[in-house]
Amino acid sequence: MQRVVSVVAHLGFRLQALPPALCRPLSCAQDVLRRTPLYDFHLAHGGKMVAFAGWSLPVQYRDSHTDSHLHTRQHCSLFDVSHMLQTKIFGSDRVKLMESLVVGDIAELRPNQGTLSLFTNEAGGILDDLIVTNTSEGHLYVVSNAGCWEKDLALMQDKVRELQNQGRDVGLEVLDNALLALQGPTAAQVLQASVADDLKKLPFMTSAVMEVFGVSGCRVTRCGYTGEDGVEISVPAAGAVHLATALLKNPEVKLAGLAARDSLRLEAGLCLYGNDIDEHTTPVEGSLSWTLGKRRQAAMDFPGAKVIVPQLKGKVQRRRVGLMCEGAPMRAHSPILNMEGTKIGTVTSGCPSPSLKKNVAMGYVPCEYSRPGTMLLVELPSGPCF
């Protein structure tokens, strides 16, 4: 069965039922899974636990996935993202270390300013996406994906050892903090009642250490992965349950799980590493050229620069695009065809959009088919779609 789809202007939406390789039902004792400090809290609140990237996490709670999604868009929701790798890079050569691994301009970050960046390899492929914050406490605070935990940690540790052997001043520490994401249009209003700091002075992609509901040492960052306003709170593990419990006392706040987080990120056009970007995708192909620092482009001093920089002025063979259609939803791995029926690409993420009441997806097509408004076909599985 074929479905007519339209390429949409940039990628301003996003979701997919979580990829089977990362998310599956628990199978009793055979799965040895890590637990966040909120594991028992999730069970007590009706969390339906699944295995995700080696962790036991709630895919949803008592509310339906759609209800959780829409609540986040209209109010705010609390997500446990403690499975993410949180690291601290310290020492006078910390920026040198990070800029030897990522495409962004870390040196230009102001105190407590952060940026989304990419680990890349020498072939120009994306090893992972991450957020780097230049803290006023004299270290870099780095958050990267749980699915790349071992790979990312080894990459950074190897570079630390390399620079230390050169006499450089640099070190790395893995943080055992919990990480909570409060996301939605009322998130700042809800959090403001619990902190002394004025959150109006905390713009997007900046952070500050503050006391939250009496828990000291929390790093609050104005960011998230839902397309909404919100914060991520790195909180000492011992205070995580207290903080989550206090937030839930506000009727604006409901718990949300992996399913809503994934549909929200898809609606917002945000990539899921391993699906939408990977080691065989360059930042230019992945429509992530904006992550490349201008100084870094000129110096061509990041991994894969000899491949990536020429792509900025030249022509790549394919690009990541957003897709939208009516009827049956598009799913990952579905072939994308031109209107003559020739396969030209593949869907990487797709699902029904609770907010738009249409089906949204993203995938890769040749550049000549990437213009917004281009009509294409997507091959859907025969039989019912679930």
Side-chain angles (χ1 to χ4, degrees):
M1 179 173 64
Q2 295 177 349
R3 178 73 57 195
V4 177
V5 302
S6 175
V7 175
V8 296
H10 250 292
L11 302 140
F13 50 61
R14 175 180 196 171
L15 152 30
Q16 144 172 351
L18 294 171
L22 290 180
C23 181
R24 63 190 189 281
L26 298 179
S27 54
C28 301
Q30 67 189 70
D31 284 315
V32 180
L33 298 171
R34 300 179 70 176
R35 296 178 176 181
T36 77
L38 291 165
Y39 176 81
D40 291 333
F41 175 88
H42 296 315
L43 294 180
H45 287 81
K48 298 177 182 178
M49 310 303 285
V50 297
F52 180 83
W55 293 77
S56 178
L57 293 167
V59 68
Q60 67 182 77
Y61 295 85
R62 296 184 179 97
D63 291 337
S64 71
H65 156 236
T66 297
D67 287 344
S68 290
H69 178 111
L70 294 176
H71 183 84
T72 310
R73 290 279 183 246
Q74 298 161 5
H75 304 278
C76 67
S77 296
L78 184 64
F79 300 82
D80 180 9
V81 292
S82 305
H83 57 299
M84 305 288 280
L85 173 60
Q86 300 179 72
T87 52
K88 178 191 292 187
I89 309 294
F90 54 88
S92 59
D93 292 309
R94 60 190 180 276
V95 171
K96 180 179 180 64
L97 178 141
M98 191 53 57
E99 289 198 347
S100 72
L101 300 174
V102 304
V103 302
D105 191 340
I106 308 305
E108 77 167 3
L109 293 175
R110 298 185 299 276
N112 291 324
Q113 182 185 18
T115 185
L116 177 72
S117 197
L118 306 169
F119 287 132
T120 48
N121 59 29
E122 291 299 336
I126 300 170
L127 297 174
D128 198 9
D129 54 317
L130 65 153
I131 291 179
V132 183
T133 300
N134 176 30
T135 75
S136 59
E137 291 78 29
H139 65 267
L140 300 177
Y141 170 59
V142 181
V143 180
S144 56
N145 286 306
C148 299
W149 180 294
E150 290 81 9
K151 178 176 69 173
D152 290 353
L153 187 56
L155 181 71
M156 291 185 286
Q157 287 176 331
D158 288 348
K159 185 58 68 171
V160 166
R161 284 190 289 268
E162 177 185 325
L163 292 181
Q164 287 177 341
N165 289 338
Q166 297 172 6
R168 300 286 186 174
D169 176 28
V170 67
L172 179 150
E173 176 188 345
V174 177
L175 302 178
D176 62 0
N177 282 7
L179 189 63
L180 303 180
L182 186 66
Q183 298 287 297
T186 63
Q189 171 190 326
V190 167
L191 189 63
Q192 186 63 76
S194 70
V195 300
D197 298 62
D198 184 358
L199 296 181
K200 292 179 181 177
K201 297 180 180 179
L202 192 72
F204 182 63
M205 292 305 291
T206 63
S207 77
V209 175
M210 60 187 74
E211 182 177 292
V212 183
F213 282 114
V215 181
S216 61
C218 295
R219 176 167 292 281
V220 178
T221 304
R222 197 72 171 262
C223 69
Y225 219 63
T226 62
E228 294 291 341
D229 187 18
V231 296
E232 291 187 354
I233 308 169
S234 180
V235 52
V241 171
H242 170 77
L243 198 156
T245 302
L247 285 169
L248 279 183
K249 289 180 180 178
N250 190 314
E252 281 289 307
V253 183
K254 289 189 176 183
L255 292 169
L258 292 169
R261 188 165 184 259
D262 201 50
S263 57
L264 290 159
R265 66 92 189 170
L266 182 52
E267 283 187 344
L270 303 170
C271 293
L272 174 64
Y273 189 84
N275 270 43
D276 308 308
I277 51 174
D278 58 26
E279 295 183 17
H280 305 291
T281 308
T282 71
V284 181
E285 292 173 330
S287 298
L288 294 170
S289 300
W290 58 271
T291 63
L292 306 173
K294 291 183 178 179
R295 175 180 62 84
R296 308 299 308 282
Q297 294 176 38
M300 295 188 68
D301 62 350
F302 56 85
K306 292 181 180 179
V307 175
I308 296 168
V309 172
Q311 290 182 345
L312 293 170
K313 297 180 180 179
K315 187 176 181 180
V316 292
Q317 292 186 337
R318 61 178 189 147
R319 282 191 183 275
R320 180 172 63 98
V321 297
L323 303 169
M324 187 177 296
C325 77
E326 309 277 355
M330 300 166 280
R331 298 295 186 186
H333 311 301
S334 296
I336 303 173
L337 319 173
N338 62 20
M339 296 305 287
E340 289 70 46
T342 301
K343 181 180 177 182
I344 59 170
T346 305
V347 173
T348 55
S349 288
C351 73
S353 163
S355 302
L356 301 176
K357 306 274 190 276
K358 294 183 179 180
N359 302 308
V360 296
M362 61 176 69
Y364 284 83
V365 298
C367 281
E368 57 266 33
Y369 294 98
S370 63
R371 187 179 180 86
T374 300
M375 304 305 292
L376 300 171
L377 299 171
V378 169
E379 188 76 43
L380 301 178
S382 58
C385 294
F386 300 98

